[in-house]
Amino acid sequence: MVDKPRYKRLGEILIEKGLVTQEELSRALEEQRKNRKALGEILVDMGLITWEQITDALSEQYNVPVLRDPPRTVPVEILRSIPRAMIEELRVIPVDKQNDKLIVITDSVYNLSRITSEIKFLTGKDPFVYLVTPTIFSLMYAQHIQGAPMALAEELPVEQAEPVSEEEAEETLAEIEAPIVRMVNAIIQRAVQIEASDIHIEPFRNYVRVRYRVDGLLRKITDYPKVQHSAVVTRIKIMSGLDISEKRLPQDGKFYMNVSGEQYDFRVSTMPSVYGEKVVMRILKVSGAYKQLEELGFSDFNYKKISDLLKRPNGIILITGPTGSGKSTTLVAMVNKLKDITVNIITAEDPVEYTIDGITQCQVNPEIGLTFARYLRSFLRQDPDIIMIGEMRDKETASLAIEASLTGHLVLSTLHTNSAAAAIDRMVNMGIDRHMISTSLIGVISQRLVRKLCENCRVKTELRKEYLEMWKAAFPEIEPVEYSAGGGCPECGGSGYKGRVAIGEVLVITRDVRDLIVAGGGEREIYDLALQKGMRPMFIDGFEKVLKGITSFDEVLRVTASI
């Protein structure tokens, strides 16, 4: 297997090429700490190196050709292919067109990934990027951009119309179908490409912003002209089966799309705001319905405890954590581990996010009175072995779940709490009797998702002394080593992280814990007793992944700070 190239910092490259010494670089870095200028600019100002040498070094490292002699004239239609705001944000200028490629120049290698994706998103063309010195870039910008005050992107002439029928909207869309369809498809395809979980399309006074949620954090992708927004929303509404004439009320819908041979479900939500309708699309990969428990990244320690709980014939297993912590995915993985031709599994979900072969899934609809509690009453007459409830929201649902567990069923569900021990207090606050909780509950899994370090650019650092003794005691078999996020690279989109993995704590309800619940023990007392009985705290579970180079201390502390 060929190792991927490691993307190095500018200082490393220049030292390797013998263009500066370590002492000169240290002086430049010290100067950088004082005035916050770019390192290359400081080295040039100090007379240690030229911009041409820096550009050549970066060109070799990032495999981007250098353009020595840019064209003196650039056609207006080429300049207008990219909006001026993006030219200024990405430091990129279109200079020519060859076949299906747009030729662009830039003086920043750190924007290469965004330049490639955003230009393709806006123009439908693959860009061919050349690197130039900052001096040449500034001259080209002054000549071709600064001297052209007009907008550098043609705006789509979309009229603001009164509410129309679907037939009329289809006719209107026919006129703008090519650019709008391409635009919406590009938004969706790029989100899938970078494995985003959500797409946010947000209108403001003069522009519309597109953001993706990647690895749990929102990331700005691009802006587009406000005049196009009505057509974009109409296109998405028609795809989702929504009422295109209703712009005053929120709406929910869904559609399906095949991207690169993989099917994806898109859950669409529209909401009126001051400057127009905001659209959020949740992206669900159909193959996610086949997730196995082993694939979620739980430590061997916690995986064994979860597997033992799933072997129990009856009782309630709860999964807790905030929104976006992976609870639904874990539920699906647990169901996949349990499903068998000899077992009857029924679920009640709101909504049904993943369709799982071989089990009966039911969609909750509170508007017609079809609640979790209503389904649970019916489930008990359907001869189930295992029942999965999307969420325990109220006393009635919790009471029926307890009744089901006490009559010989295994019940899986989720609860919104910050820790495993807090689940007991949450059920007590719902009005559930402590004796019933202690009798029915067999285990609580609390989890979070931490971002994984990009293996291409992560940096090995010295283990922090304040944690060294803790690791020796907790993980004597693991070599004490720490990695942190690097400066970012094209593989991770410059973030230093790529993908997410679960960390958690598993509270097994032992006889001693049951007695403490009945005696009125609170969250802190239950937590302390669980630690004595062998529960591993979530932050220790996360720090094991730090020692294995999977994630960073900063990331574990970020997601466990509230626990």
Side-chain angles (χ1 to χ4, degrees), residues 469-483:
E469 292 301 321
M470 183 190 300
W471 303 143
K472 288 180 179 178
F475 306 109
E477 74 285 358
I478 299 178
E479 178 187 355
V481 62
E482 180 185 347
Y483 286 87

Side-chain angles (χ1 to χ4, degrees), residues 29 271 380:
L29 290 172
M271 181 183 70
L380 295 178

Side-chain angles (χ1 to χ4, degrees), residues 171-192:
E171 292 176 8
T172 302
L173 275 176
E175 300 174 8
I176 58 171
E177 184 172 358
I180 291 301
V181 168
R182 281 202 307 267
M183 184 174 180
V184 172
N185 286 347
I187 290 173
I188 291 170
Q189 288 169 2
R190 187 174 174 201
V192 168

Side-chain angles (χ1 to χ4, degrees), residues 411-422:
V411 180
L412 312 175
S413 189
T414 69
L415 201 62
H416 285 277
T417 64
N418 283 331
S419 68

Side-chain angles (χ1 to χ4, degrees), residues 144-319:
H144 299 293
I145 310 301
Q146 220 165 22
M150 76 289 289
L152 290 177
E154 294 181 2
E155 294 183 343
L156 200 64
V158 181
E159 297 180 1
Q160 297 292 333
E162 294 297 319
V164 294
S165 67
E166 186 167 330
E167 291 77 10
E168 291 172 315
E170 290 284 7
E171 292 176 8
T172 302
L173 275 176
E175 300 174 8
I176 58 171
E177 184 172 358
I180 291 301
V181 168
R182 281 202 307 267
M183 184 174 180
V184 172
N185 286 347
I187 290 173
I188 291 170
Q189 288 169 2
R190 187 174 174 201
V192 168
Q193 180 185 6
I194 66 174
E195 299 180 0
S197 60
D198 300 85
I199 302 171
H200 290 239
I201 303 176
E202 306 161 302
F204 296 98
R205 184 186 295 274
N206 299 316
Y207 65 95
V208 181
R209 174 173 296 162
V210 178
R211 294 193 292 173
Y212 296 160
R213 189 174 293 281
V214 182
D215 295 335
L217 299 178
L218 282 170
R219 181 186 301 177
K220 179 189 169 185
I221 300 302
T222 190
D223 296 335
Y224 64 81
K226 180 71 175 294
V227 72
Q228 296 178 351
H229 186 56
S230 178
V232 169
V233 173
T234 299
R235 171 65 184 171
I236 294 172
K237 282 185 174 180
I238 289 176
M239 293 170 69
S240 311
L242 301 180
D243 182 356
I244 61 172
S245 65
E246 180 56 78
K247 300 180 180 181
R248 300 167 300 170
L249 297 174
Q251 296 187 67
D252 296 311
K254 62 182 178 180
F255 65 90
Y256 308 93
M257 182 174 285
N258 282 305
V259 182
S260 301
E262 185 81 45
Q263 184 174 335
Y264 292 83
D265 294 357
F266 294 82
R267 306 298 165 91
V268 179
S269 171
T270 67
M271 181 183 70
S273 70
V274 174
Y275 296 116
E277 290 182 278
K278 175 177 177 177
V279 179
V280 175
M281 292 183 272
R282 167 65 60 88
I283 306 172
L284 297 170
K285 194 174 183 179
V286 170
S287 60
Y290 303 99
K291 279 278 188 183
Q292 300 299 316
L293 198 58
E294 298 86 346
E295 300 173 16
L296 303 186
F298 284 110
S299 62
D300 293 341
F301 181 89
N302 283 336
Y303 175 78
K304 184 178 186 307
K305 286 182 174 292
I306 295 171
S307 298
D308 289 343
L309 286 174
L310 293 176
K311 293 175 183 176
R312 303 280 287 273
N314 61 281
I316 297 175
I317 302 174
L318 293 177
I319 305 172

Side-chain angles (χ1 to χ4, degrees), residues 379-412:
F379 285 177
L380 295 178
R381 295 189 289 273
Q382 290 285 319
D383 186 31
D385 297 294
I386 298 166
I387 297 172
M388 191 258 272
I389 309 167
E391 182 184 347
M392 280 195 186
R393 294 179 178 173
D394 50 49
K395 179 181 179 180
E396 185 180 14
T397 304
S399 298
L400 288 167
I402 289 172
E403 179 185 335
S405 70
L406 295 177
T407 53
H409 306 92
L410 183 63
V411 180
L412 312 175

